[in-house]
Amino acid sequence: MGALTAISDVKAVTTSSYITTPIYYVNDKPHVGHAYSTLAADVLARWRRLQGRRVYFLTGTDEHGQKVEKAAQDAGMDPQAFTDKVSQSFRDLTATMGFSNDGFIRTTEERHKRACQALWTKLVENDEIYLGAYEGWYAVRDEAFYGPDELVERDGVKYAPSGAPVEWVKEPSYFFRLSNWADKLLAYYDANPDFILPASRRNEVVAFVKSGLSDLSISRTSFTWGVKVPGDDAHVMYVWIDALTNYITALGYPDEAAPEWQLWPAEVHFVGKDILRFHAIYWPAFLLAAGLPAPKRVFAHGWWTNEGQKISKSLGNVIDPVALVEEFGLDPLRYFLLREVPFGQDGDFSRSALVNRLNGELANALGNLANRTLSLIQRNADAVLPEATAPTEADAALAAQVAALPGVVGAHLDRQEFHLALEAIMAAVRDANGYITVAAPWALKKTDPARGLAVLRHLHDALRVFATLLQPFMPGTMAKLLDQLGLPEAARGLDALSTKLPGGLALPPPEPLFRKIEQAA
């Protein structure tokens, strides 16, 4: 097609990339929201590897705090045994969803306790922590305090904005001097305008910080399931300083000579919008107060509803990603979750929408394009790849679109615009289907066989680009397509797109890539 040699803006790089998910509470089994966060991180990590970067992709579980202690009691289990069991279910999800994480952190690990205590000690040395007493409205479920103006009362019970009941708590507590950090955080946001994405979330955080910050309670004496405060065993660290520290624990902190430490600061922390405040305010304040760099970006994604209803255990409509994989296949589910909804916005999970994406875009558009092209090569080109030819005027539009595609997709993924990256690829797939219909290579075998082979080669080149770019989203299926296209393992990175495949390469018979789903009437 001439497109592959024109791709000059996608080059292998040697820089590193540290990408994280939130660490997940072990008070219940994983659901589609957990899969969604980790999928986004997985796709970006796979893309960075395609670029030739050194990548460390971390996920894990948050295992301390009053909420976990209570869940263990309700299950009649010791907290450590309970967290061991539930944490394993999150490890199992990484395998089920095909995630490529390099590390899995648990906050009950000894290395994490050491890191938390080292960070705490550094903050004490820098006069950022003091002992006081706290009283206020506290929600155990949210592990957060709320102001009186944030509460609603029903039937004599006060509730947080999240719907969690609150109780009045008074206890001694260590505090972090967060009130000193408002101006410094605002300056950091100004200097790093893409630190918080999407922009709507950034605006929320900036407005919150401008309204004034109070010092932050960072320890508890009302329960014991947590990391002990150095020098004061009566206190355990509040979950947010404990949980957030996981991101540097995994890189070897406090040993700044550790091999992985050079990966800090993180390129992106992926989080749900409900925990953005902790990641975009508390976490950079802790780090900067300790003399450490803040992460480069915190991206807050939205929530899923189920067929228009809020997801909740009481409604019995929690979406089980394992069941969806079994029903629809792994790669169609991965594709759908990042294709259906603009990343950063709330979205509604609909089975019919998933089926429509699978049947329409994957099976009919991409799958049929691959099968038609490769079947014609089998029949009309003796099952070998035709020689590359320069595009004619009729080929030029698709050739230019395909040539630009890696750069377009890369720019979207740099901003975590997964839906736009997929839309750009699928727009090119649609145009390639239009091209094959107009060019009709099946008819050219009799009238102009040389032109017919040229058309098939242009289509093969386009499919190579599509399959290469879709690897992070659908790794298993795209590996099959790249096999059918005759691509060796060494030629599946972005930098390899600038090298044309030699004509005469033997290609295997194609096999269907996607299984269409019949919808009930």
Side-chain angles (χ1 to χ4, degrees), residues 119 122-123 126 181 256 261 285-294:
L119 180 62
K122 186 65 176 177
L123 293 172
N126 291 351
W181 283 91
E256 296 187 14
W261 182 250
F286 293 157
L287 290 165
L288 296 171
L292 297 172

Side-chain angles (χ1 to χ4, degrees), residues 48 306 485:
R48 294 296 183 228
N306 187 354
L485 292 168

Side-chain angles (χ1 to χ4, degrees), residues 12 52 88-89 112 117 133 136 180 225 237 287 332 351 366 396 399 451 470 475 484:
Q88 186 59 47
S89 69
H112 181 65
Q117 292 176 335
N180 292 345
W225 184 241
M237 295 183 195
L287 290 165
R351 298 175 71 85
L366 179 59
R451 173 62 184 157
L470 285 169
Q484 294 180 29

Side-chain angles (χ1 to χ4, degrees), residues 381-396:
D382 297 324
V384 299
L385 181 65
E387 295 290 343
T389 62
T392 65
E393 186 175 342
D395 308 325

Side-chain angles (χ1 to χ4, degrees), residues 287-364:
L287 290 165
L288 296 171
L292 297 172
K296 297 175 184 177
R297 178 170 300 163
V298 177
F299 197 108
H301 65 73
W303 292 338
W304 285 92
T305 54
N306 187 354
E307 306 285 355
Q309 282 191 312
K310 183 179 179 181
I311 294 173
S312 73
K313 286 188 290 184
S314 61
L315 290 174
N317 67 344
V318 173
I319 302 171
D320 180 1
V322 177
L324 291 174
V325 170
E326 292 173 351
E327 183 175 359
F328 296 103
L330 173 56
D331 282 350
L333 177 62
R334 287 174 58 107
Y335 176 86
F336 171 79
L337 290 174
L338 292 179
R339 175 73 172 101
E340 183 69 8
V341 177
F343 195 68
Q345 297 183 18
D346 292 342
D348 185 50
F349 183 90
S350 159
R351 298 175 71 85
S352 62
L354 196 165
V355 171
N356 288 338
R357 292 286 186 192
L358 196 169
N359 289 349
E361 294 185 340
L362 297 183
N364 290 344

Side-chain angles (χ1 to χ4, degrees), residues 1 4 398 402 432 457-467:
M1 182 174 284
L4 300 179
L398 183 62
V402 172
R457 174 61 194 239
H458 298 325
L459 288 164
H460 184 283
D461 288 349
L463 283 165
R464 177 190 180 183
V465 175
F466 302 154

